[in-house]
Amino acid sequence: MHRILAASGVRMRTTAVTIIALALALVTAGFVVVVLLEESLDAGVTQSARSTGRQVAIRLAAEGTKDLSASDVASTGDTEAVTQVLNSARRVIASDPAITGRPPITDAAPAPGRETVETKPLGINGDDGDYRLVSQAVVGPGGVYTVVAARALDSVTEASARLTLLLLVIGLPLMAISGFAVYRAVGSALRPVEQMRRTVAEISTRDLATRVRLPPGHDEVHRLATTLNEMLSRLASAQSAQRRFVADASHELRSPVSTISTALDVSSRHPDSMGTDELVTVVTTETARLRELVDDLLVLARTDDSTDRPSHREVDLDDIVRAEAARVRAETSLEIEVRAGPAKVLGSEPHLRRAVRNLVDNGRDHARRRLRLASSTDGKHAAIEVSDDGPGVPPEDRERIFERFVRLDASRQRRHGGTGLGLAIVTGIALQHGGSARCPDRSDDPDYPGAHFRLELPALDRPGTEED
């Protein structure tokens, strides 16, 4: 049954569940109603038999069996109710004409003032139906008498059967009507969903401008349509960013390839205009630039891939800061200040070294005389900060510089402008480690009025700080 429901549609499953639930409710309610009716009718039959026997018992208590005849205990003439009077010797002294000549119809012998209620078939006129027997003992002139009043329970059985049939006759059409109404109602509720499905199915990857129509109201279907539109907007934004990235990457790759191609073409057409050493220098330089760009693109691809999860272990950021400071001191004549406060994070050491190196190289390329590297722990975050005394970053560009292939004018004019992917790689690695990269305003620092970059990552502990 579960497999059949799972294979059917939402409308069929909802309709089936509704019909089953309604059927269970109707069966339960019908059972309760029938039981209550039977109990009520049963109690009425018992009370009727008790009243009949009590009338005879009152006469016996007052007059005894004097002038007691069959007509005094006779019922209306049918077999629905019969009465029998027994003496203390359990002999029948009066009985209903329907059971005249029969021995006592019960073996019950209640004490005076008490009664016994029982149910048994009497077999009157070949009827095997049950009777409710109420036996009452009474003391009267001449001794103790037992009055047995019996009333047939056929009326209770017939009423229960008729009510059960009536409930069944009413319940089946009710379930059919309810199932049809639920089927139509679910179909009407799902119609906007089907329209959204068709709209989304018609949207191609080349054009993500189409949006699904918002249904009226603010129910779950309306929220679903809103979520779909938001998802389409994100996909369109991602597609636009991907197209820009491909265009920018193609442009960046075309430049060194064109330079190499031009140099080779000139060398082949005019051997005397370009020597071998000059050609080798051009090709080597552009090849190195091409290799650097490809490496950066591969790193970006890995940081964008959510399934790429490098192994994480404890990493000391202060060790990375000291190592980068030593490298820059060996390569440049800049004044390097290091404030390496202990800071531990959980992450990929090669990736974090790459992120810090990109920040340091960016600061080195823009610094005039001095560069500062710092690591620290503040609350739950470990941070690496790189500050320089260069031209700085305009406030309107402090977010844009972390995008791909973005170079500010000052960067383009420098000899080592880079690929324009360094800060984008820093952002990708930061996000991959649950952190962030930003360029806050630090114009209040007179020694380092230039750019200030901060890489924040979740910290493992809260160590102290040191300077050198």
Side-chain angles (χ1 to χ4, degrees):
M1 185 66 179
H2 176 73
R3 293 182 178 179
I4 296 176
L5 290 176
S8 60
V10 175
R11 296 177 71 179
M12 291 300 299
R13 288 201 300 270
T14 305
T15 303
V17 170
T18 302
I19 292 177
I20 293 173
L22 181 60
L24 292 176
L26 289 177
V27 169
T28 303
F31 176 78
V32 172
V33 170
V34 170
V35 169
L36 292 177
L37 176 66
E38 286 184 347
E39 290 181 353
S40 177
L41 294 177
D42 190 89
V45 170
T46 302
Q47 184 60 34
S48 177
R50 181 181 293 114
S51 298
T52 301
R54 186 171 296 158
Q55 293 177 2
V56 177
I58 292 173
R59 177 170 180 175
L60 289 174
E63 302 178 3
T65 58
K66 180 182 178 182
D67 299 329
L68 182 66
S69 63
S71 61
D72 295 325
V73 296
S75 62
T76 57
D78 55 21
T79 58
E80 288 290 325
V82 294
T83 306
Q84 194 176 63
V85 179
L86 309 176
N87 60 14
S88 58
R90 304 295 299 172
R91 292 175 54 189
V92 178
I93 57 178
S95 63
D96 191 279
I99 55 175
T100 299
R102 291 189 56 172
I105 58 178
T106 180
D107 297 329
R114 299 296 183 88
E115 68 176 21
T116 301
V117 180
E118 57 184 326
T119 302
K120 60 186 298 186
L122 296 181
I124 300 175
N125 297 331
D127 185 7
D128 294 331
D130 288 336
Y131 280 73
R132 177 61 43 79
L133 280 68
V134 178
S135 303
Q136 305 176 57
V138 60
V139 178
V144 178
Y145 303 97
T146 301
V147 180
V148 182
R151 181 168 287 275
L153 293 174
D154 291 343
S155 60
V156 177
T157 304
E158 291 178 2
S160 299
R162 290 177 181 177
L163 180 59
T164 302
L165 180 61
L166 178 62
L167 292 176
L168 184 63
V169 170
I170 295 176
L172 290 178
L174 181 61
M175 287 191 294
I177 294 173
S178 300
F180 177 76
V182 170
Y183 185 82
R184 293 296 300 270
V186 173
S188 177
L190 292 178
R191 191 172 296 113
V193 178
E194 176 62 18
Q195 293 176 353
M196 286 186 280
R197 185 196 67 80
R198 292 178 181 176
T199 301
V200 174
E202 294 172 356
I203 297 176
S204 65
T205 56
R206 294 186 178 183
D207 183 14
L208 295 175
T210 306
R211 297 292 181 268
V212 299
R213 187 176 63 181
L214 294 178
H218 295 280
D219 55 2
E220 291 81 359
V221 179
H222 181 89
R223 293 195 293 270
L224 174 62
T226 303
T227 303
L228 285 176
N229 285 337
E230 292 175 352
M231 181 190 69
L232 290 173
S233 297
R234 290 194 299 270
L235 290 176
S237 178
Q239 184 189 62
S240 178
Q242 183 182 31
R243 288 175 176 175
R244 289 196 308 270
F245 177 72
V246 172
D248 292 339
S250 301
H251 177 75
E252 294 292 334
L253 290 171
R254 181 185 301 172
S255 179
V257 170
S258 298
T259 302
I260 294 173
S261 177
T262 301
L264 292 174
D265 185 61
V266 171
S267 177
S268 63
R269 292 177 179 271
H270 306 283
D272 297 336
S273 63
M274 179 177 289
T276 303
D277 294 340
E278 185 180 359
L279 177 61
V280 170
T281 301
V282 172
V283 172
T284 301
T285 302
E286 296 302 323
T287 302
R289 181 182 175 190
L290 193 61
R291 186 189 311 111
E292 181 183 5
L293 181 60
V294 171
D295 289 342
D296 288 348
L297 290 174
L298 289 175
V299 173
L300 275 178
R302 292 192 185 100
T303 58
D304 286 343
D305 187 4
S306 59
T307 61
D308 182 24
R309 299 179 180 176
S311 58
H312 286 189
R313 62 184 184 86
E314 289 188 7
V315 180
D316 292 316
L317 296 182
D318 50 310
D319 292 343
I320 297 178
V321 167
R322 292 190 184 94
E324 287 301 310
R327 179 181 66 86
V328 176
R329 281 180 179 139
E331 295 177 352
T332 68
S333 59
L334 294 173
E335 178 184 341
I336 307 299
E337 179 185 356
V338 179
R339 296 182 179 181
K344 280 189 176 183
V345 299
L346 187 66
S348 170
E349 184 172 359
H351 286 188
L352 293 175
R353 285 187 180 276
R354 177 63 179 272
V356 176
R357 173 164 294 194
N358 285 1
L359 290 178
V360 173
D361 288 346
N362 181 82
R364 176 201 62 191
D365 293 341
H366 292 81
R368 293 189 177 96
R369 288 185 303 159
R370 59 172 63 96
L371 183 67
R372 182 172 66 196
L373 283 66
S375 63
S376 62
T377 300
D378 180 14
K380 297 182 179 180
H381 295 93
I384 290 182
E385 298 176 294
V386 178
S387 306
D388 62 67
D389 61 348
V393 180
E396 64 272 13
D397 294 325
R398 286 176 183 162
E399 293 185 5
R400 192 172 66 88
I401 56 175
F402 290 100
E403 298 177 3
R404 300 169 182 183
F405 298 111
V406 173
R407 297 189 187 93
L408 303 183
D409 292 339
S411 170
R412 292 194 185 99
Q413 294 170 3
R414 300 188 62 85
R415 183 176 179 180
H416 302 289
T419 61
L421 297 174
L423 295 180
I425 291 175
V426 173
T427 300
I429 293 175
L431 293 175
Q432 195 176 45
H433 287 75
S436 63
R438 53 194 178 92
C439 179
D441 183 16
R442 289 295 297 272
S443 58
D444 56 340
D445 191 343
D447 295 330
Y448 297 92
H452 178 80
F453 291 93
R454 181 180 177 89
L455 173 64
E456 287 187 354
L457 300 170
L460 286 181
D461 50 24
R462 303 176 64 181
T465 59
E466 64 179 31
E467 297 184 7
D468 61 72

